[in-house]
Amino acid sequence: MMSEKKELYLGYSSDKAVTPFFQEFLEALDQEKLMKSVCTECGTEFLPPRQHCQKCISLCELKEFTETEAKLRSYVVVDFAPESLTSKAPYVVAIGEFPSGLRLTAHITNLMSVPEVGMALKLAFEHIDDKKLTYKFLV
Amino acid sequence: MARKVAVVAAGHSKFGKRYDATMRELCAEAYKPIYDAGVTQDKIDATVLSYAASQFTGQGAGSALMADYLGLQNIPHLRVESACTTGTASLRAAWGMVAAGLYDVMLVLGVEQMNRVSSAVATEYMSQAGDMRWEYPYGISFPAFYALMASRYMYEYDMPHEVLSRISVKSHHYGAQNPKAHLPREVTLEEANNAVPICRPLNLYDCSLITDGAAGVVIAAEDRVKEFTDQPMWITGIGAGASAMMIQDRESLTSIPGAKRAAKAAYDMAGVGPKDLDMVQVHDCFSIAELIAYEDLGLAEPGKGRELIENKEVYHDSRIPVNCDGGLKSKGHPLGATGLSMTYEILKQMRGEAENQSRQIDDVKIGLAHNVGQSGQFVNVFIFERGW
């Protein structure tokens, strides 16, 4: 169990309603494990996870997502940010695609220049000021 | 069997930073020309009065306020919301009610007042139309969604940013000729290509405006049309589409799948194709959105949309005029009004009444409006045909 409630992500709370399912996701993230969800009926996989299967609306269970190498499908360098993230700009949002075809949207945090579509990304984790958690990409 | 339905009147406020008005006065500005054309309150059976986001004004139950201010307080009304397609979604809802025989004459009016908050706050509100759990925390603003499409498009088709800037140059060329436009001034290709970045690869001139404004139309059933006009514009095709909520889940980032489905449905319903169109209004919330729209609507093959702008085939006196009112980029984009502003423009062009005849398109018989919500989660495509 996490010692205190933590939030997924940067400067602003993402989702005020933390369900038990999402709490389990956050607790795994606190251990630097990213969870996908797998439908208990049809086996369809989702990343990021969802509690109900998009295909058959059955319940899903969380399973550790073990892929770590992705390719950059697309990116944006956000220069003018929404108010809640103004202090973080510029930042890079990436869509990474893993070999399985599953995709993830996250920041790339260690770029020294504008990224290139197709470049290799590595999944990483970050604990921000001990209260926020995130997954991210590194190049 | 559905009844035929026509647009019989339309009105449009000045778009811009309207610190001189609130949503109620903007609605009156759009309704006044409709009233003056003879569609007084007593001739309206019901209304759809809409805006996309109540956060901008804090006003709840806004359709009641709008109805009351327009002297329509005793007439049934409702609000429809679907992000930036709120205007055409309202028209689609009203069309269904008139076609089904529930009402004969309806006013459809859309408004948005966006400039009572700062640009950063407006950007915040619009980013909340992304997935609040998985996208919003990463600061994916409205332009960021389209920048993700632009990055991929430029990669797949090896296209320089300058192509997008040519679209912005066209938008401002026509916005400069539209007295209703928010930012009516020409820009050079150099200015457009070198503007400050907003969400790279998109810069300031790739992005539509945060605009206050209203637009409205009146629709009537076939047997009532002649009471209002001898120049009706028939609604002959309606297509609606949708796309995955999270942009990462789209199989393509170089097309909006819901727009392709909406276009096909509208073409099939109207019995026409892209080659039959005399003018097109597309949802150019960003320059890349206009380029993708050329392809999603079948005006160009995938990856070939750039040829339309590079060869100036989308200018008012060329093969297929697109957004010759300045579009969302220069005319402005008050979310709830935009789809009805497109409808207004097609009616005016069809009647030969373009505001500033320098941009009048010759002999418009068939026009298409393409209205996209958020990054493609909602799409409406309408086809209109001249009725005289």
Side-chain angles (χ1 to χ4, degrees):
Chain A
M1 285 289 287
M2 289 190 288
S3 56
E4 60 182 308
K5 194 171 177 180
K6 296 190 180 182
E7 293 175 351
L8 175 67
Y9 204 54
L10 286 177
Y12 197 82
S13 174
S14 62
D15 192 330
K16 304 286 185 190
V18 179
T19 62
F21 185 85
F22 190 46
Q23 182 65 22
E24 188 181 339
F25 171 84
L26 291 175
E27 287 174 8
L29 193 62
D30 197 36
Q31 303 301 312
E32 303 201 344
K33 291 178 183 174
L34 181 65
M35 304 299 271
K36 63 184 176 183
S37 66
V38 182
C39 176
T40 54
E41 291 294 323
C42 71
T44 305
E45 298 187 342
F46 300 97
L47 186 71
R50 50 172 78 208
Q51 191 169 351
H52 292 88
C53 174
Q54 192 180 37
K55 290 186 175 173
C56 67
I57 322 300
S58 302
L59 286 171
C60 295
E61 58 187 5
L62 290 170
K63 290 194 175 173
E64 185 175 355
F65 179 71
T66 55
E67 296 179 74
T68 57
E69 309 287 333
K71 283 197 169 173
L72 181 61
R73 179 166 163 78
S74 196
Y75 73 92
V76 50
V77 183
V78 178
D79 297 284
F80 186 83
E83 189 195 34
S84 59
L85 288 180
T86 299
S87 65
K88 307 282 184 187
Y91 51 85
V92 178
V93 180
I95 299 174
E97 184 166 294
F98 295 92
S100 63
L102 291 174
R103 300 181 190 132
L104 192 67
T105 302
H107 285 186
I108 305 175
T109 60
N110 65 338
L111 279 163
M112 299 303 285
S113 61
V114 173
E116 292 179 11
V117 173
M119 71 193 303
L121 303 174
K122 188 169 177 59
L123 183 63
F125 300 91
E126 187 174 348
H127 298 255
I128 305 165
D129 66 25
D130 209 33
K131 287 193 177 174
K132 298 184 178 70
L133 304 164
T134 193
Y135 49 83
K136 63 181 185 178
F137 290 118
L138 300 174
V139 294
Chain B
M1 182 69 181
R3 300 194 294 178
K4 282 180 70 179
V5 179
V7 178
V8 297
H12 199 293
S13 79
K14 172 83 170 79
F15 280 7
K17 291 191 176 188
R18 293 295 307 272
Y19 299 125
D20 61 324
T22 67
M23 64 187 285
R24 66 189 86 194
E25 290 88 10
L26 293 169
C27 289
E29 211 176 296
Y31 177 53
K32 182 67 166 101
I34 293 171
Y35 179 96
D36 289 346
V39 190
T40 48
Q41 292 94 332
D42 57 306
K43 294 184 176 149
I44 296 169
D45 298 327
T47 64
V48 183
L49 305 172
S50 300
Y51 51 98
S54 55
Q55 299 100 306
F56 288 113
T57 62
Q59 177 67 54
S63 63
L65 175 81
M66 294 157 71
D68 187 86
Y69 198 73
L70 299 177
L72 296 160
Q73 66 275 23
N74 296 322
I75 294 170
H77 63 84
L78 59 87
R79 172 194 171 201
V80 171
E81 184 277 309
S82 55
C84 310
T85 56
T86 289
T88 50
S90 300
L91 184 57
R92 188 153 62 95
W95 176 89
M97 288 185 264
V98 174
L102 187 61
Y103 302 115
D104 286 344
V105 180
M106 290 187 73
L107 170 68
V108 186
L109 198 144
V111 64
E112 210 75 49
Q113 184 182 28
M114 305 175 73
N115 283 288
R116 295 296 163 118
V117 298
S118 69
S119 294
V121 171
T123 302
E124 177 85 25
Y125 291 159
M126 287 187 278
S127 73
Q128 290 169 355
D131 185 311
M132 285 295 285
R133 178 173 289 173
W134 302 116
E135 292 181 322
Y136 171 77
Y138 290 87
I140 312 178
S141 61
F142 184 33
F145 283 110
Y146 278 90
L148 287 164
M149 295 187 214
S151 293
R152 186 73 198 184
Y153 191 104
M154 292 164 73
Y155 167 77
E156 285 193 21
Y157 296 116
D158 191 25
M159 186 187 77
H161 177 267
E162 183 186 300
V163 175
L164 300 179
S165 297
R166 289 182 187 278
I167 292 173
S168 309
V169 169
K170 173 181 71 75
S171 300
H172 278 275
H173 175 64
Y174 287 114
Q177 301 171 61
N178 184 351
K180 297 280 198 297
H182 179 163
L183 201 58
R185 76 173 188 87
E186 300 264 4
V187 300
T188 65
L189 183 59
E190 187 180 9
E191 280 177 303
N193 203 31
N194 297 308
V196 294
I198 298 295
C199 280
R200 281 173 273 170
L202 301 182
N203 70 29
L204 183 67
Y205 279 110
D206 292 307
C207 302
S208 59
L209 305 167
I210 295 172
T211 302
D212 307 320
V217 302
V218 173
I219 59 172
E222 184 174 17
D223 59 350
R224 299 287 304 278
V225 161
K226 285 190 176 158
E227 292 174 37
F228 301 100
T229 184
D230 56 5
Q231 292 185 318
M233 180 172 81
W234 297 109
I235 298 171
T236 57
I238 304 177
S243 309
M245 178 67 186
M246 284 187 69
I247 197 164
Q248 69 163 43
D249 293 335
R250 311 262 176 93
E251 282 312 305
S252 170
L253 292 175
T254 62
S255 168
I256 293 176
K260 292 171 86 166
R261 289 190 282 270
K264 182 177 187 316
Y267 287 137
D268 288 350
M269 181 174 165
V272 302
K275 289 188 167 57
D276 298 310
L277 304 175
D278 300 308
M279 69 172 288
V280 177
Q281 293 293 119
V282 304
H283 195 91
D284 63 318
C285 48
F286 301 93
S287 53
I288 183 67
E290 178 162 332
L291 187 70
I292 287 174
Y294 296 160
E295 299 171 13
D296 288 344
L297 293 172
L299 307 178
E301 293 296 315
K304 304 284 189 188
R306 63 183 290 179
E307 294 174 5
L308 292 186
I309 188 69
E310 287 175 323
N311 299 331
K312 293 195 167 187
E313 292 177 65
V314 281
Y315 278 65
H316 81 287
D317 52 358
S318 193
R319 184 170 72 82
I320 179 65
V322 176
N323 289 11
C324 296
D325 59 351
L328 283 60
K329 173 67 201 84
S330 176
K331 181 182 65 177
H333 182 25
L335 313 178
T338 287
L340 296 166
S341 172
M342 294 174 175
T343 309
Y344 169 92
E345 173 65 12
I346 295 172
L347 179 69
K348 297 293 275 187
Q349 288 280 0
M350 227 171 240
R351 289 178 171 176
E353 298 172 353
E355 289 149 312
N356 198 333
Q357 285 289 298
S358 59
R359 60 182 188 85
Q360 175 67 50
I361 302 164
D362 188 39
D363 196 24
V364 175
K365 294 188 180 70
I366 301 178
L368 180 147
H370 156 278
N371 191 194
V372 177
Q374 179 55 356
S375 57
Q377 288 88 337
F378 312 91
V379 187
N380 292 313
V381 172
F382 272 74
I383 294 171
F384 303 103
E385 297 190 26
R386 194 164 78 187
W388 65 96

Coordinates of all heavy atoms in Angstrom, one line a residue, chain B residues 131-171:
Chain B
D131 N -9.3 13.2 -23.0 CA -9.6 12.2 -21.9 C -9.0 12.7 -20.6 O -7.8 12.9 -20.5 CB -9.0 10.8 -22.3 CG -9.4 9.8 -21.3 OD1 -9.2 10.0 -20.0 OD2 -9.8 8.7 -21.7
M132 N -9.9 13.0 -19.6 CA -9.4 13.7 -18.4 C -8.5 12.8 -17.6 O -7.8 13.3 -16.7 CB -10.6 14.1 -17.5 CG -11.4 15.3 -18.1 SD -10.4 16.8 -18.0 CE -10.4 17.2 -16.2
R133 N -8.5 11.5 -17.7 CA -7.6 10.6 -17.0 C -6.3 10.4 -17.7 O -5.2 10.5 -17.1 CB -8.3 9.3 -16.7 CG -7.3 8.3 -15.9 CD -8.0 7.1 -15.5 NE -9.0 7.3 -14.4 CZ -9.8 6.4 -14.0 NH1 -9.8 5.2 -14.5 NH2 -10.7 6.7 -13.0
W134 N -6.3 10.2 -19.0 CA -5.1 9.8 -19.7 C -4.5 10.8 -20.6 O -3.3 10.6 -21.0 CB -5.4 8.5 -20.4 CG -5.9 7.4 -19.6 CD1 -7.2 6.8 -19.7 CD2 -5.3 6.7 -18.5 NE1 -7.3 5.8 -18.8 CE2 -6.1 5.7 -18.0 CE3 -4.0 6.8 -17.9 CZ2 -5.8 4.9 -17.0 CZ3 -3.7 6.0 -16.9 CH2 -4.6 5.0 -16.4
E135 N -5.2 11.8 -21.0 CA -4.6 12.8 -21.9 C -4.4 14.2 -21.2 O -3.4 14.8 -21.3 CB -5.5 13.0 -23.2 CG -5.5 11.7 -24.0 CD -6.4 11.9 -25.3 OE1 -7.5 12.5 -25.2 OE2 -6.0 11.4 -26.3
Y136 N -5.5 14.7 -20.6 CA -5.4 16.0 -20.0 C -4.2 16.2 -19.1 O -3.6 17.3 -19.1 CB -6.8 16.2 -19.3 CG -6.8 17.5 -18.4 CD1 -6.9 18.7 -19.0 CD2 -6.7 17.4 -17.1 CE1 -7.0 19.9 -18.2 CE2 -6.7 18.6 -16.3 CZ -6.8 19.8 -16.9 OH -6.8 20.9 -16.1
P137 N -3.9 15.2 -18.2 CA -2.8 15.5 -17.3 C -1.5 15.8 -18.0 O -0.5 16.3 -17.4 CB -2.7 14.2 -16.5 CG -4.0 13.5 -16.6 CD -4.5 13.9 -18.0
Y138 N -1.4 15.4 -19.3 CA -0.1 15.6 -20.0 C -0.1 16.9 -20.8 O 0.7 17.2 -21.6 CB 0.1 14.4 -20.9 CG 0.5 13.1 -20.1 CD1 -0.5 12.3 -19.6 CD2 1.8 12.9 -19.8 CE1 -0.2 11.2 -18.8 CE2 2.1 11.8 -19.0 CZ 1.1 11.0 -18.5 OH 1.5 9.9 -17.7
G139 N -1.1 17.7 -20.5 CA -1.2 19.0 -21.1 C -1.4 19.0 -22.6 O -0.7 19.8 -23.3
I140 N -2.2 18.1 -23.1 CA -2.5 18.0 -24.5 C -3.6 19.0 -24.8 O -4.8 18.7 -24.6 CB -2.8 16.6 -25.0 CG1 -1.8 15.6 -24.4 CG2 -2.8 16.6 -26.5 CD1 -2.1 14.2 -24.8
S141 N -3.2 20.2 -25.3 CA -4.2 21.2 -25.6 C -4.8 20.9 -26.9 O -4.4 20.0 -27.6 CB -3.5 22.6 -25.6 OG -2.5 22.5 -26.7
F142 N -5.8 21.7 -27.2 CA -6.6 21.5 -28.5 C -5.6 21.6 -29.7 O -5.5 20.7 -30.5 CB -7.7 22.6 -28.5 CG -8.6 22.5 -29.7 CD1 -9.0 21.4 -30.3 CD2 -9.2 23.7 -30.2 CE1 -9.9 21.3 -31.4 CE2 -10.1 23.7 -31.2 CZ -10.4 22.5 -31.8
P143 N -4.7 22.7 -29.8 CA -3.7 22.7 -30.9 C -2.8 21.5 -30.8 O -2.3 21.0 -31.8 CB -3.0 24.0 -30.7 CG -3.5 24.6 -29.4 CD -4.7 23.9 -29.0
A144 N -2.5 21.0 -29.6 CA -1.6 19.9 -29.5 C -2.1 18.6 -30.2 O -1.4 17.9 -30.8 CB -1.3 19.6 -28.0
F145 N -3.4 18.4 -30.1 CA -4.0 17.2 -30.8 C -3.7 17.3 -32.3 O -3.4 16.3 -32.9 CB -5.5 17.1 -30.5 CG -5.9 16.6 -29.1 CD1 -6.4 17.4 -28.2 CD2 -5.6 15.3 -28.8 CE1 -6.7 16.9 -26.9 CE2 -5.9 14.8 -27.5 CZ -6.5 15.6 -26.6
Y146 N -4.0 18.5 -32.8 CA -3.8 18.7 -34.3 C -2.3 18.7 -34.6 O -1.9 18.3 -35.7 CB -4.5 19.9 -34.8 CG -6.0 19.6 -35.0 CD1 -6.9 19.7 -34.0 CD2 -6.4 19.1 -36.2 CE1 -8.2 19.4 -34.2 CE2 -7.7 18.7 -36.4 CZ -8.6 18.9 -35.4 OH -10.0 18.6 -35.6
A147 N -1.5 19.1 -33.7 CA 0.0 19.1 -33.9 C 0.5 17.6 -34.0 O 1.4 17.3 -34.8 CB 0.7 19.8 -32.8
L148 N -0.2 16.8 -33.2 CA 0.2 15.3 -33.3 C -0.2 14.8 -34.7 O 0.6 14.0 -35.3 CB -0.6 14.5 -32.3 CG 0.0 14.7 -30.8 CD1 -1.0 14.2 -29.8 CD2 1.3 14.0 -30.6
M149 N -1.3 15.3 -35.3 CA -1.6 14.9 -36.7 C -0.6 15.5 -37.6 O -0.2 14.8 -38.6 CB -3.0 15.4 -37.0 CG -4.1 14.7 -36.2 SD -5.8 15.2 -36.8 CE -6.7 15.3 -35.4
A150 N -0.3 16.7 -37.4 CA 0.6 17.4 -38.4 C 2.0 16.8 -38.4 O 2.6 16.6 -39.5 CB 0.7 18.9 -38.0
S151 N 2.5 16.4 -37.2 CA 3.9 15.8 -37.2 C 3.9 14.5 -38.0 O 4.8 14.2 -38.7 CB 4.2 15.5 -35.7 OG 4.4 16.6 -35.0
R152 N 2.8 13.7 -37.8 CA 2.7 12.4 -38.5 C 2.5 12.7 -40.0 O 3.1 12.0 -40.8 CB 1.6 11.6 -37.9 CG 1.5 10.2 -38.5 CD 2.6 9.3 -37.9 NE 2.8 8.1 -38.7 CZ 3.6 7.2 -38.5 NH1 4.4 7.2 -37.4 NH2 3.8 6.1 -39.3
Y153 N 1.7 13.6 -40.3 CA 1.4 13.9 -41.8 C 2.7 14.3 -42.5 O 3.0 13.9 -43.5 CB 0.3 14.9 -41.9 CG -0.2 15.1 -43.3 CD1 -1.5 14.5 -43.7 CD2 0.5 15.7 -44.3 CE1 -2.0 14.7 -45.0 CE2 0.0 15.9 -45.6 CZ -1.2 15.3 -45.9 OH -1.7 15.4 -47.2
M154 N 3.4 15.3 -41.8 CA 4.6 15.8 -42.4 C 5.7 14.7 -42.6 O 6.4 14.7 -43.6 CB 5.1 17.0 -41.6 CG 4.2 18.2 -41.7 SD 4.5 19.4 -40.4 CE 6.0 20.1 -40.9
Y155 N 5.6 13.8 -41.7 CA 6.6 12.6 -41.7 C 6.2 11.7 -42.8 O 7.0 11.3 -43.7 CB 6.6 11.9 -40.4 CG 7.3 10.6 -40.4 CD1 8.6 10.5 -40.4 CD2 6.5 9.4 -40.4 CE1 9.3 9.2 -40.4 CE2 7.1 8.1 -40.4 CZ 8.5 8.1 -40.4 OH 9.1 6.8 -40.4
E156 N 4.9 11.3 -42.9 CA 4.5 10.3 -43.8 C 4.6 10.8 -45.3 O 4.9 10.0 -46.2 CB 3.1 9.8 -43.5 CG 3.0 8.9 -42.3 CD 1.6 8.2 -42.2 OE1 0.9 8.0 -43.3 OE2 1.3 7.7 -41.1
Y157 N 4.3 12.0 -45.5 CA 4.2 12.6 -46.9 C 5.4 13.5 -47.1 O 5.4 14.2 -48.2 CB 2.9 13.2 -47.1 CG 1.7 12.3 -47.0 CD1 0.8 12.4 -46.1 CD2 1.6 11.2 -47.9 CE1 -0.3 11.5 -46.0 CE2 0.6 10.3 -47.9 CZ -0.4 10.5 -46.9 OH -1.5 9.6 -46.8
D158 N 6.4 13.5 -46.2 CA 7.6 14.3 -46.4 C 7.2 15.8 -46.9 O 7.7 16.3 -47.9 CB 8.5 13.7 -47.5 CG 9.9 14.3 -47.5 OD1 10.3 14.9 -46.5 OD2 10.5 14.3 -48.5
M159 N 6.3 16.4 -46.1 CA 5.8 17.7 -46.5 C 6.4 18.8 -45.6 O 6.4 18.7 -44.4 CB 4.3 17.7 -46.3 CG 3.6 18.9 -46.8 SD 1.9 18.9 -46.4 CE 1.9 19.4 -44.7
P160 N 6.9 19.9 -46.2 CA 7.4 21.0 -45.4 C 6.2 21.8 -44.7 O 5.1 21.8 -45.3 CB 8.1 21.8 -46.4 CG 7.5 21.6 -47.7 CD 7.0 20.1 -47.6
H161 N 6.5 22.5 -43.7 CA 5.5 23.3 -43.0 C 5.0 24.4 -43.9 O 3.8 24.8 -43.7 CB 6.1 23.9 -41.7 CG 5.2 24.8 -41.0 ND1 5.1 26.2 -41.3 CD2 4.2 24.6 -40.1 CE1 4.1 26.7 -40.5 NE2 3.6 25.7 -39.8
E162 N 5.7 24.8 -44.8 CA 5.3 25.9 -45.7 C 4.0 25.7 -46.4 O 3.2 26.6 -46.6 CB 6.4 26.2 -46.7 CG 6.1 27.3 -47.6 CD 7.1 27.5 -48.8 OE1 8.3 27.6 -48.5 OE2 6.7 27.4 -49.9
V163 N 3.7 24.4 -46.6 CA 2.4 24.0 -47.3 C 1.3 24.5 -46.4 O 0.3 25.0 -46.9 CB 2.3 22.5 -47.6 CG1 1.0 22.2 -48.1 CG2 3.4 22.1 -48.6
L164 N 1.4 24.2 -45.1 CA 0.4 24.6 -44.1 C 0.2 26.1 -44.1 O -0.9 26.7 -44.0 CB 0.7 24.1 -42.7 CG 0.8 22.6 -42.6 CD1 1.1 22.2 -41.2 CD2 -0.5 21.9 -43.0
S165 N 1.3 26.8 -44.2 CA 1.3 28.3 -44.2 C 0.6 28.8 -45.4 O -0.1 29.9 -45.3 CB 2.7 28.9 -44.2 OG 3.4 28.4 -43.0
R166 N 0.6 28.2 -46.5 CA -0.1 28.6 -47.7 C -1.6 28.6 -47.4 O -2.4 29.4 -48.0 CB 0.2 27.7 -48.9 CG 1.6 28.0 -49.4 CD 1.9 27.1 -50.7 NE 3.3 27.3 -51.0 CZ 3.8 28.3 -51.7 NH1 3.0 29.3 -52.1 NH2 5.1 28.4 -51.9
I167 N -2.1 27.6 -46.6 CA -3.5 27.6 -46.3 C -3.8 28.8 -45.4 O -4.9 29.5 -45.6 CB -3.8 26.3 -45.5 CG1 -3.7 25.1 -46.5 CG2 -5.2 26.3 -44.9 CD1 -3.8 23.7 -45.9
S168 N -3.0 29.2 -44.5 CA -3.2 30.3 -43.6 C -3.2 31.6 -44.4 O -4.0 32.5 -44.2 CB -2.1 30.4 -42.6 OG -1.9 29.2 -41.9
V169 N -2.4 31.7 -45.4 CA -2.3 32.9 -46.3 C -3.7 33.0 -47.0 O -4.3 34.1 -47.1 CB -1.2 32.8 -47.3 CG1 -1.3 33.8 -48.4 CG2 0.2 32.9 -46.6
K170 N -4.2 31.9 -47.5 CA -5.5 31.9 -48.2 C -6.6 32.4 -47.2 O -7.5 33.2 -47.6 CB -5.9 30.6 -48.8 CG -7.3 30.5 -49.3 CD -7.7 29.1 -49.9 CE -7.8 28.0 -48.9 NZ -9.1 28.1 -48.1
S171 N -6.6 31.8 -46.0 CA -7.6 32.1 -45.1 C -7.7 33.6 -44.8 O -8.7 34.2 -44.8 CB -7.4 31.3 -43.8 OG -7.4 30.0 -44.0

